[in-house]
Structures are given as structure tokens and as C-alpha cells.
């Protein structure tokens, strides 16, 4: 069965073209032209991912994103907008967006991002059923917040454990700094950013004996967890 996308875009020409392109990639797409229409569509059907314009009549994309998360906290959504201001991107991530794409964009890149987000969501659903995550030669007990290897065990703090979970969920991709800061610390400022850097350094130390595990810093953007086989 084709994965379902809710596309909410007030530009009928752009929305129609994007809908057709997504359908060529075998997605089942519902196109709505304003926030209210998008919300009603979401209430009536189940979607795998939502693509939301920010500037729309009747209900803007940020308000729509909040209402969607009130109905289903697990559904991923991406903002598609002509605005690239830092405050707007920050607001999008604070609401819970998985990504923020600025027009004009490469349609192939959008498809890759959608595939990555849907794949990650599927992994998260499976992982939520089990409290154990394998990270290289280590086992991470998410419930007890313990990483173990052989007879060695390390107890993590709540923030360390949540940060490690996020890194694992975004493994081999990019965990945006804004996403981690707003989800774990609840705010994104200089002091919390420095605090997160300290936590990343601590996690690196926990895995320092395994050269196949790396937490890389992507300058100005975020972090990526690399697990080599």
C-alpha cells in the first residue's frame, strides 16, 4: 500500500506540480490549499507524513503543525516555505517539525528527505516496542538508561539517554542542533547549546574504546552518529 502524504500548500500551481511529482514517486497525496482544510483532512484520514507550507490563509503552518501534533504526536511533518529566517526555523523545530525546507528546492532532495524521515519513523515504532537498542558492540537499555558491553555498565543521566536516543534515531543522517535543544532542553540559546556540547563530549567518551562508533559534529548544523559495521 502506498504511503500517504498530506500536502498543505496555498499556491495551487506549485501545490499541483508538487503533488504530481510525489505521486510519480508512488506516494498517495492529498492536497489542501489552506490550514483549515488541511486540519479537517488530517482528522478524517491517517497520514504517514505531512508537508506544510508556513504562510497560508485562515490558518498558518505553525498553528496547523501544533494542532496536528495535538491529534497525533508521532506523525512526522516537514515545513516547506519561502522564508529562511532563523527565528522561523527555530519556531518550526520547537513545534516538533522533522525538517524545514526552503523554496526553491531540489525535488529529488525532498524525496530523499521524505524517505529518510519515513524510514526513521518506522524504525522508531519498532524500537519503542523494545527497550533495547544495539549500538555497535554496546547494548543500550532505554528504560534503565544503561549502556553495557560485556561486564561494563554505564548509567546515563536522563538528558544523556534522550540525546543518545535522538542520535540513534537520526543515525547516519543529521540531528539538527535546534531539534535536540528544543526537545531535550526546551529552549535554544547560547547556554543550552554549550550544555549540549558538554553532553555530546560525555557520550563520545563512553564509546571511545570502539573505533566503529563516532559522533561527528557538522559545523553550524548538528551532529551525526556513525556506526560502522
Amino acid at each position: 500500500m502506498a504511503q500517504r502524504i498530506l500536502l498543505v500548500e496555498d499556491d495551487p500551481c506549485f501545490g499541483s506540480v508538487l503533488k504530481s511529482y510525489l505521486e510519480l514517486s508512488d506516494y498517495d497525496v492529498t492536497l489542501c490549499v489552506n490550514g483549515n482544510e488541511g486540519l479537517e483532512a488530517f482528522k478524517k484520514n491517517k497520514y504517514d507524513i505531512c508537508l506544510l507550507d508556513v504562510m497560508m490563509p485562515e490558518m498558518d503552518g505553525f498553528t496547523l503543525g501544533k494542532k496536528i501534533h495535538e491529534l497525533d504526536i508521532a506523525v512526522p511533518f516537514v515545513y516547506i516555505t519561502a522564508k529562511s529566517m532563523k527565528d522561523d526555523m527555530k519556531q518550526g523545530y520547537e513545534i516538533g517539525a522533522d525538517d524545514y525546507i526552503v523554496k526553491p528546492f531540489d525535488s529529488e532532495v525532498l524525496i530523499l528527505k521524505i524517505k529518510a524521515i519515513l524510514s526513521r519513523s518506522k524504525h522508531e515504532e519498532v524500537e519503542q516496542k523494545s527497550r533495547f537498542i544495539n549500538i555497535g558492540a554496546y547494548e543500550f537499555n532505554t528504560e534503565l538508561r544503561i549502556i553495557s558491553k560485556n561486564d561494563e555498565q554505564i548509567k546515563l543521566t536522563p538528558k544523556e539517554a534522550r540525546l543518545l536516543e535522538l542520535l540513534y534515531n537520526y543515525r547516519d543522517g543529521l540531528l539538527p542542533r535546534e531539534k535536540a535543544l528544543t526537545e531535550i532542553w526546551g529552549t535554544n540559546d547560547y547556554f543550552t547549546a554549550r550544555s549540549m556540547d558538554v553532553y555530546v563530549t560525555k557520550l563520545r567518551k563512553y564509546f571511545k574504546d570502539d573505533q566503529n562508533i563516532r559522533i561527528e559534529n557538522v559545523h553550524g548544523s548538528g551532529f551525526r552518529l556513525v556506526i560502522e559495521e
Side-chain angles (χ1 to χ4, degrees):
M1 182 181 295
Q3 291 174 301
R4 304 193 66 191
I5 295 177
L6 174 62
L7 171 61
V8 189
E9 167 61 58
D10 72 325
D11 183 332
C13 181
F14 176 75
S16 178
V17 170
L18 183 54
K19 179 178 186 291
S20 297
Y21 184 81
L22 292 168
E23 287 174 339
L24 287 173
S25 298
D26 297 325
Y27 292 107
D28 181 357
V29 183
T30 298
L31 173 62
C32 299
V33 296
N34 61 61
N36 284 335
E37 187 179 320
L39 182 60
E40 289 306 310
F42 188 83
K43 289 178 178 178
K44 294 176 182 177
N45 300 286
K46 183 174 178 59
Y47 295 94
D48 296 289
I49 188 170
C50 303
L51 306 182
L52 313 178
D53 188 17
V54 172
M55 302 299 294
M56 294 187 295
E58 300 186 35
M59 182 190 298
D60 65 83
F62 292 139
T63 302
L64 177 58
K66 291 178 182 177
K67 291 183 178 294
I68 283 176
H69 256 197
E70 289 173 1
L71 295 170
D72 185 351
I73 190 66
V75 67
F77 64 92
V78 175
Y79 282 119
I80 300 177
T81 178
K83 300 176 68 177
S84 60
M85 294 178 64
K86 182 178 180 181
D87 287 344
D88 288 327
M89 297 180 71
K90 177 175 177 288
Q91 185 176 353
Y93 284 122
E94 286 176 343
I95 292 169
D98 289 78
D99 213 328
Y100 195 106
I101 301 176
V102 179
K103 303 173 186 175
F105 54 84
D106 187 324
S107 298
E108 291 185 15
V109 172
L110 175 61
I111 293 295
L112 291 173
K113 286 178 177 288
I114 290 173
K115 287 181 178 179
I117 291 170
L118 290 173
S119 176
R120 184 170 68 244
S121 296
K122 184 176 180 180
H123 283 305
E124 288 175 354
E125 287 179 6
V126 174
E127 287 155 9
Q128 285 172 0
K129 297 176 182 178
S130 173
R131 64 185 183 184
F132 297 104
I133 293 174
N134 292 319
I135 303 177
Y138 293 83
E139 184 177 74
F140 176 28
N141 185 320
T142 60
E143 185 178 54
L144 299 181
R145 306 196 311 273
I146 292 175
I147 54 175
S148 58
K149 180 182 178 183
N150 299 325
D151 294 330
E152 177 188 5
Q153 288 191 342
I154 301 172
K155 177 74 170 182
L156 305 183
T157 67
K159 282 188 173 65
E160 287 174 340
R162 183 60 188 136
L163 180 57
L164 182 55
E165 278 192 79
L166 278 177
L167 284 165
Y168 182 79
N169 290 339
Y170 281 78
R171 60 193 176 280
D172 297 321
L174 176 68
L175 170 61
R177 292 182 68 91
E178 295 89 348
K179 176 77 172 178
L181 286 169
T182 55
E183 186 159 327
I184 299 174
W185 278 267
T187 185
N188 178 8
D189 56 34
Y190 174 82
F191 299 102
T192 53
R194 297 289 74 78
S195 176
M196 183 170 71
D197 289 338
V198 171
Y199 278 81
V200 170
T201 299
K202 288 182 178 180
L203 291 179
R204 285 184 178 131
K205 289 181 179 179
Y206 298 151
F207 296 107
K208 66 180 177 14
D209 294 331
D210 192 332
Q211 296 182 349
N212 294 322
I213 302 174
R214 301 192 309 277
I215 301 176
E216 299 178 348
N217 181 22
V218 181
H219 183 68
S221 298
F223 302 93
R224 64 191 298 257
L225 173 64
V226 179
I227 307 171
E228 296 181 352
E229 298 296 334

